[in-house]
Amino acid sequence: DPEGAMQVKRFEPEWLAGTSAGEVMFQADYHLKELSMGEYEQPVVGMKSCLDYTSSDGLDQEWSAREWFVVRKAEVHISQDAVLVPYLKMGVEAREQLLTAAGLEDAPLTRPDHPLVK
């Protein structure tokens, strides 16, 4: 619903809700969105927010998108001295959203020149 709440606290998989790991991931995800929207100075020199790309590329049209962290690989390793060591590979996914009769829906493929992709 484009007129309704744009943010929902959602956990995937659902069992992450109420856990410390789920809350840390939620806070990291929220900060990712703040950085991408230019709320804070970028942590890497030369890095731009998607809004910086929008203005520098002369894109004056409205657009909508969403982004989120994904776990690519999660393992627990055991060191030589029997210590459990978490091993995690993460990524960020982004989807352009299109306004349809049913509301905002993910585009089948996000354009490579979309500000959120850059």
Side-chain angles (χ1 to χ4, degrees), residues 71-90:
V71 176
R72 302 257 186 244
K73 187 175 191 177
E75 299 175 348
V76 177
H77 296 180
I78 301 176
S79 69
Q80 290 180 340
D81 51 348
V83 175
L84 297 177
V85 180
Y87 176 79
L88 190 63
K89 282 189 175 183
M90 297 193 66

Side-chain angles (χ1 to χ4, degrees), residues 6 37 63-67 94-98 104 106 110 114 116:
M6 296 296 287
M37 293 296 140
W63 56 267
S64 182
R66 64 188 187 101
E67 61 187 343
R95 295 288 183 276
E96 179 178 10
Q97 293 188 303
L98 304 173
L104 286 173
D106 288 350
T110 300
H114 192 278
L116 202 59

Side-chain angles (χ1 to χ4, degrees), residues 36-62:
S36 72
M37 293 296 140
E39 289 290 318
Y40 295 103
E41 186 175 321
Q42 297 300 308
V44 177
V45 174
M47 187 175 176
K48 294 181 179 182
S49 72
C50 61
L51 293 181
D52 292 333
Y53 280 112
T54 300
S55 60
S56 69
D57 291 352
L59 299 174
D60 56 358
Q61 64 192 29
E62 278 192 33

